Amino acid sequence: MEIVITGGIFKGRKLSVPNNVNVRPTMSSVREAIFDSIGGRIIRSTFLDLYAGFGTVGIEALSRGASKVTFVDKSRVCVNTIRKNLEILDCLHCAEIYQMTVESFIKSIDAKYDFIFLDPPYRLDCSAIIREILDKEILANNGIIIWETSVRSNINKESLNIAREKRYGESLVLYIERI
């Protein structure tokens, strides 16, 4: 598997990823579309990458100007891969990496983020986690939660303030704002 950064200072750089790991990285076309929709708002922002996998989206955020990215994944292999890529790109100082479940992280964190990206295992309904993020005010004022899921997911959208949604093949990206 080859993962290439699509924009910013690391554009064209290949990320090191292990073989035989059950991780589905966000496709480059979807990453590009997400960051095109964010535009210049990414500059000097804080970015939280939940269910980070290999950290592709968070590293893309750093490449495009985020000042700090926090990565959360429960897999030791994924966390080690993220750390290795950040070291290679010489941007480990701009990151925090947590090996823990997203649920545990959300319960323990006392910080605010401009962007929160969730890319859970497909079809996992993150509505409850998103409500907890909003209730705990982890999302900064004017912040955006970006949730990548499957178009086949059965999502409880009624309790979420979805500003927009976009389909990319089998992927559905929801942009959720504070109410």
Side-chain angles (χ1 to χ4, degrees), residues 18-115:
N19 292 326
N20 303 324
V21 177
N22 191 17
V23 173
R24 178 200 39 79
T26 299
M27 294 184 327
S28 59
S29 59
V30 176
R31 277 187 281 126
E32 238 179 320
I34 288 170
F35 285 99
D36 285 350
S37 73
I38 293 171
R41 291 179 60 188
I42 194 67
I43 306 295
R44 290 183 294 281
S45 67
T46 53
F47 194 96
L48 175 57
D49 189 353
L50 298 173
Y51 305 98
F54 298 139
T56 310
V57 173
I59 292 171
E60 187 89 42
L62 284 172
S63 180
R64 291 172 181 258
S67 61
K68 179 182 170 189
V69 176
T70 301
F71 299 88
V72 179
D73 200 280
K74 68 180 181 180
S75 163
R76 176 179 286 126
V77 171
C78 288
V79 165
N80 289 340
T81 301
I82 293 166
R83 184 172 286 108
K84 177 181 176 184
N85 281 311
L86 291 170
E87 287 171 352
I88 290 168
L89 296 170
D90 194 28
C91 59
L92 189 56
H93 62 282
C94 299
E96 292 180 339
I97 307 167
Y98 294 90
Q99 182 186 341
M100 60 194 318
T101 66
V102 167
E103 295 81 3
S104 296
F105 177 81
I106 296 302
K107 284 179 178 34
S108 67
I109 193 68
D110 184 24
K112 289 194 183 292
Y113 297 92
D114 299 305
F115 296 97

Side-chain angles (χ1 to χ4, degrees), residues 69-179:
V69 176
T70 301
F71 299 88
V72 179
D73 200 280
K74 68 180 181 180
S75 163
R76 176 179 286 126
V77 171
C78 288
V79 165
N80 289 340
T81 301
I82 293 166
R83 184 172 286 108
K84 177 181 176 184
N85 281 311
L86 291 170
E87 287 171 352
I88 290 168
L89 296 170
D90 194 28
C91 59
L92 189 56
H93 62 282
C94 299
E96 292 180 339
I97 307 167
Y98 294 90
Q99 182 186 341
M100 60 194 318
T101 66
V102 167
E103 295 81 3
S104 296
F105 177 81
I106 296 302
K107 284 179 178 34
S108 67
I109 193 68
D110 184 24
K112 289 194 183 292
Y113 297 92
D114 299 305
F115 296 97
I116 300 174
F117 179 77
L118 296 98
D119 185 10
Y122 260 21
R123 298 196 184 179
L124 179 67
D125 186 351
C126 287
S127 301
I129 291 170
I130 291 171
R131 280 192 299 280
E132 190 168 353
I133 288 169
L134 296 171
D135 289 346
K136 281 192 71 178
E137 298 185 359
I138 296 169
L139 184 66
N141 292 337
N142 300 318
I144 299 173
I145 296 171
I146 304 164
W147 177 11
E148 180 182 355
T149 188
S150 168
V151 294
R152 299 167 204 248
S153 296
N154 188 11
I155 299 169
N156 177 8
K157 295 181 183 179
E158 295 157 11
S159 63
L160 305 173
N161 187 25
I162 299 174
R164 95 181 171 192
E165 56 185 85
K166 199 81 168 129
R167 182 179 176 162
Y168 305 94
E170 290 297 309
S171 294
L172 178 66
V173 178
L174 304 172
Y175 296 83
I176 301 160
E177 297 176 346
R178 293 171 66 116
I179 297 175

